[in-house]
């Protein structure tokens, strides 16, 4: 059987020697990505392998050694231990990884998104403009929840993007940006927001054996009006109906900087007896998505699968444990693009969607300066996965 990596047309000359620098907390994801790249490039046959343009194309590892040591005061510096001159450099950063710590005046301080972002700038500064090209993979876009101004507020995400490109970053690749329009702040530079739709569908089909994927038995739900686009895409690709909730807020009060949600109002056709795919960009505390699941259950929904790119679980996992025990949710799918606690990975209701192979495809293709448009639209792959799933169901039924 011919694999996808063997059939990709990557005969173009690489932009430069490939180099990957994972920031703190991204090491395990980078190792998985690196193993795919090493394997593919060892197997890939090319008549140009011996040419100067392909120098260093096949290596044991593409990860470059770096560190961000800190002084006792909490100040730090970026250090790169290998040459990056002429390198096509890919930096990986997880700004939400709170498990990373450093010493601050004798106290153990957990790294905030600001700390991770500052470390990213330190490494870019250490490169010193010597790299051929710099691409930043920032799955959870820094300050993406502060993407628009409604009063006298800071525009943190836009300022951060402008800051990165001013430091010499050529491309920024993120996943499921809270609002993709934030790229308007850097209109002359590369910005891609990638959807993990295929990985959600693939892992759902892999872990749930009795799904009936048609509009009579399944429905796609957007838990708020902001997530309509991703829900419409999934519904169209799967040939399903779509419903949505809108948040009714109390605009007379402010709690934790926001107007509190009074209720989730549903718009859509009947959900009775149907499986629900609730699709969103992130689970923060999880209260909203669990309230949505409870409302759907009251309306007679069958199984409820929650698919979100980022599982932050800022208030812990107990509420999800209770919802699972009470039958309000069946499975929760999130990616490994951000830090996952060991407790989360052990949960019976949790399905981990590994994105390392997909990122390896993106890096491999970009290094050859080849179009990634086929990777950004996975509709064909989703259709193939569903066809295989239905075929297996038919074979089991005929046995």
């Amino acid at each position: 059987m011919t694999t996808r990596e063997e059939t990709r047309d990557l005969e173009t000359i690489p932009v430069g020697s490939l180099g990957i620098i994972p920031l703190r907390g991204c090491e395990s994801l980078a190792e998985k990505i690196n193993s795919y790249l090493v394997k593919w490039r060892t197997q890939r046959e090319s008549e140009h392998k011996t040419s100067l343009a392909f120098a260093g194309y096949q290596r044991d590892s593409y990860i470059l050694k770096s560190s961000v040591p800190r002084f006792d005061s909490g100040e730090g510096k970026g250090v790169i231990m290998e040459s990056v001159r002429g390198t096509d450099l890919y930096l990986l950063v997880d700004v939400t990884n709170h498990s990373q710590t450093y010493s601050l005046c004798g106290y153990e301080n957990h790294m905030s998104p600001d700390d991770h972002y500052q470390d990213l700038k330190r490494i870019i500064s250490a490169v010193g403009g010597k790299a051929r090209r710099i691409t930043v993979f920032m799955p959870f876009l820094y300050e993406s929840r502060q993407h628009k101004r409604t009063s006298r507020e800071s525009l943190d995400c836009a300022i951060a993007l402008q800051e990165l490109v001013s430091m010499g970053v050529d491309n920024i690749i993120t996943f499921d940006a809270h609002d993709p329009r934030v790229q308007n702040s850097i209109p002359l530079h590369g910005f891609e927001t990638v959807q993990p739709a295929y990985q959600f569908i693939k892992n759902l089909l892999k872990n749930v054996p009795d799904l009936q994927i048609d509009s009579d038995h399944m429905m796609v739900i957007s838990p708020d009006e902001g997530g309509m686009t991703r829900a419409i895409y999934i519904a169209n690709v799967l040939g399903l109906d779509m419903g949505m909730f809108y948040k009714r807020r109390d605009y007379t009060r402010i709690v934790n900087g926001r107007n509190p949600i009074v209720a989730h109002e549903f718009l859509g056709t009947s959900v009775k007896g149907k499986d629900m795919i609730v699709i969103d960009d992130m689970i923060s505390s999880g209260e909203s998505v669990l309230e949505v699941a409870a409302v759907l259950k009251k309306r007679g929904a069958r199984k409820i699968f929650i698919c979100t790119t980022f599982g932050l679980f800022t208030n812990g996992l107990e509420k999800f444990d209770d919802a699972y025990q009470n039958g309000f949710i069946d499975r929760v799918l999130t990616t490994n693009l951000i830090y996952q606690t060991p407790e989360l990975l052990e949960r019976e209701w949790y399905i981990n969607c590994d994105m390392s192979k997909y990122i390896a495809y993106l890096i491999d293709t970009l290094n050859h300066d080849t179009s990634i448009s086929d990777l950004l639209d996975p509709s064909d792959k989703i259709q193939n996965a569903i066809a295989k799933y239905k075929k297996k169901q038919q074979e089991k039924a005929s046995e």
Side-chain angles (χ1 to χ4, degrees):
M1 181 177 174
T2 305
T3 57
R4 184 181 172 89
E5 57 264 24
E6 291 169 344
T7 58
R8 287 191 70 77
D9 181 19
L10 297 178
E11 288 297 315
T12 53
I13 294 173
V15 171
S17 179
L18 176 60
I20 299 171
I21 297 181
L23 276 292
R24 279 188 66 185
C26 273
E27 295 90 349
S28 60
L29 180 62
E31 286 292 346
K32 290 181 180 179
I33 294 166
N34 182 63
S35 65
Y36 281 116
L37 291 168
V38 170
K39 176 186 170 186
W40 296 343
R41 295 196 169 194
T42 301
Q43 295 173 347
R44 187 173 293 147
E45 292 299 327
S46 172
E47 58 184 302
H48 309 294
K49 272 185 182 178
T50 56
S51 71
L52 195 60
F54 278 73
Y57 188 74
Q58 292 183 348
R59 300 207 303 273
D60 293 335
S61 176
Y62 299 98
I63 296 176
L64 305 179
K65 293 178 182 177
S66 68
S67 70
V68 183
R70 288 182 182 264
F71 303 100
D72 291 336
S73 60
E75 299 165 287
K77 63 178 179 179
V79 182
I80 300 174
M81 288 86 153
E82 300 179 48
S83 173
V84 293
R85 186 177 293 277
T87 301
D88 186 22
L89 205 54
Y90 294 84
L91 308 183
L92 274 65
V93 58
D94 173 13
V95 298
T96 66
N97 193 334
H98 60 275
S99 71
Q100 301 298 309
T101 60
Y102 62 90
S103 177
L104 176 62
C105 298
Y107 295 96
E108 183 183 58
N109 203 37
H110 286 262
M111 291 182 71
S112 71
D114 293 339
D115 290 318
H116 285 289
Y117 175 64
Q118 202 65 29
D119 280 359
L120 172 65
K121 291 196 293 181
R122 289 183 174 112
I123 290 296
I124 294 170
S125 177
V127 172
K130 302 299 189 296
R132 181 73 50 83
R133 186 175 69 176
I134 298 177
T135 300
V136 170
F137 271 82
M138 186 185 288
F140 188 100
L141 187 59
Y142 173 69
E143 289 291 349
S144 57
R145 299 174 81 177
Q146 186 49 36
H147 61 282
K148 63 183 179 181
R149 176 180 282 160
T150 54
S151 60
R152 287 182 293 276
E153 296 177 338
S154 59
L155 283 169
D156 297 41
C157 188
I159 289 171
L161 293 176
Q162 291 181 351
E163 199 171 19
L164 290 176
V165 299
S166 71
M167 294 182 73
V169 173
D170 297 278
N171 298 295
I172 297 167
I173 297 179
T174 188
F175 285 77
D176 214 346
H178 198 62
D179 188 340
R181 289 174 296 184
V182 74
Q183 67 186 287
N184 293 339
S185 61
I186 50 168
L188 301 179
H189 292 80
F191 181 96
E192 297 286 353
T193 176
V194 187
Q195 298 288 338
Y198 169 66
Q199 284 76 15
F200 285 146
I201 301 302
K202 181 180 76 171
N203 283 281
L204 189 61
L205 299 179
K206 181 180 176 183
N207 289 277
V208 184
D210 59 343
L211 295 175
Q212 290 180 275
I213 306 167
D214 57 59
S215 57
D216 293 328
H217 299 91
M218 187 175 279
M219 197 168 172
V220 179
I221 303 293
S222 174
D224 56 39
E225 59 274 23
M228 285 283 287
T229 304
R230 65 179 70 87
I232 289 171
Y233 177 82
I234 294 284
N236 285 342
V237 171
L238 298 181
L240 306 177
D241 291 333
M242 196 207 81
M244 68 157 283
F245 285 82
Y246 70 90
K247 295 171 182 175
R248 192 148 53 85
R249 294 181 180 272
D250 181 359
Y251 287 100
T252 64
R253 296 186 299 138
I254 295 178
V255 179
N256 294 328
R258 309 182 74 178
N259 301 108
I261 297 167
V262 177
H264 289 84
E265 303 289 355
F266 179 68
L267 299 173
T269 57
S270 173
V271 303
K272 193 169 183 179
K274 296 179 182 178
D275 293 334
M276 302 286 110
I277 297 178
V278 181
I279 186 97
D280 205 1
D281 60 337
M282 72 175 77
I283 292 172
S284 185
S285 65
E287 288 181 7
S288 291
V289 77
L290 290 178
E291 285 178 22
V292 163
V295 172
L296 290 171
K297 275 292 182 182
K298 284 180 183 176
R299 288 174 169 264
R302 186 170 170 259
K303 292 186 176 181
I304 295 180
F305 307 105
I306 299 169
C307 301
T308 69
T309 307
F310 307 110
L312 298 173
F313 300 101
T314 55
N315 287 359
L317 304 173
E318 288 74 19
K319 288 183 179 179
F320 284 86
D321 291 336
D322 293 341
Y324 178 66
Q325 292 295 331
N326 295 326
F328 289 126
I329 61 172
D330 289 86
R331 292 298 183 96
V332 177
L333 295 83
T334 74
T335 70
N336 65 337
L337 292 168
I338 63 171
Y339 172 68
Q340 301 158 299
T341 62
E343 295 79 20
L344 174 64
L345 295 170
E346 291 170 359
R347 288 301 196 268
E348 187 181 353
W349 45 262
Y350 182 67
I351 297 175
N352 174 31
C353 301
D354 186 5
M355 299 295 292
S356 58
K357 191 174 186 180
Y358 187 41
I359 296 175
Y361 279 137
L362 290 168
I363 291 175
D364 200 19
T365 308
L366 288 168
N367 180 234
H368 280 265
D369 223 9
T370 302
S371 172
I372 59 171
S373 57
D374 64 316
L375 291 169
L376 299 179
D377 183 7
S379 55
D380 289 341
K381 293 184 73 176
I382 293 173
Q383 294 295 345
N384 291 336
I386 291 171
K388 287 180 183 176
Y389 183 80
K390 288 183 176 178
K391 188 179 178 182
K392 280 185 181 178
Q393 284 182 324
Q394 289 172 354
E395 288 173 353
K396 283 184 179 179
S398 62
E399 287 177 358

